[in-house]
């Protein structure tokens, strides 16, 4: 059967530390030493105060679904066999929001705004491990 590879992130100078962390099963966000702003996507300059004193700092990986959609018609053919699937925006407990998928991806009835979630990881290859989310188990 002919299959199309899914596009993967290409780590850059700005994002390399983020992908290094996910590969080790840790979630990090860019954190500004000047104004304490935490943000994603990763960048070397703080978007709030323009300081370059930015480093990756670990976060809990816990948050809540801020918004979500169901993709019925993927924009890339490699995702056709996954449809329908969810895409969520999670607001981390530490503030930054990030896109992801809530697993299991096909259990669409499990997704709702405000749902407590926690990060989980899907190793794609030796370089890329994608952060995903699952319903939080309490505590
Ligand atoms: Zn700042």
């Amino acid at each position: 059967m002919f299959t199309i590879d899914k596009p993967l992130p290409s780590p850059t100078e700005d994002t390399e530390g983020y992908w290094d962390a996910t590969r080790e099963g840790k979630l990090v966000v860019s954190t500004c030493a000047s104004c304490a702003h935490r943000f994603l996507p990763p960048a070397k300059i703080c978007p709030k105060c323009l300081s370059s004193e930015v480093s990756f700092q670990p976060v809990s990986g816990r948050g809540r679904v801020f918004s979500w959609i169901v993709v019925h018609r993927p924009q890339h053919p490699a995702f056709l066999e996954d449809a329908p699937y969810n895409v969520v925006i999670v607001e981390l407990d530490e503030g930054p929001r990030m896109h992801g998928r809530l697993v299991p991806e096909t259990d669409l009835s499990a997704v709702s705004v405000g749902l407590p979630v926690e990060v989980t990881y899907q190793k794609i290859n030796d370089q890329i491990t994608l952060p995903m989310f699952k319903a939080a188990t309490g505590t």
Side-chain angles (χ1 to χ4, degrees), residues 32 34-35 37 46 48-51:
C32 177
S34 295
C35 74
H37 184 52
C46 175
K48 192 171 178 183
C49 75
L50 303 182
S51 169

Side-chain angles (χ1 to χ4, degrees), residues 118-129:
E118 58 191 19
V119 73
T120 184
Y121 300 93
Q122 181 179 6
K123 181 178 179 178
I124 304 298
N125 57 37
D126 288 343
Q127 184 182 32
I128 298 296
T129 296

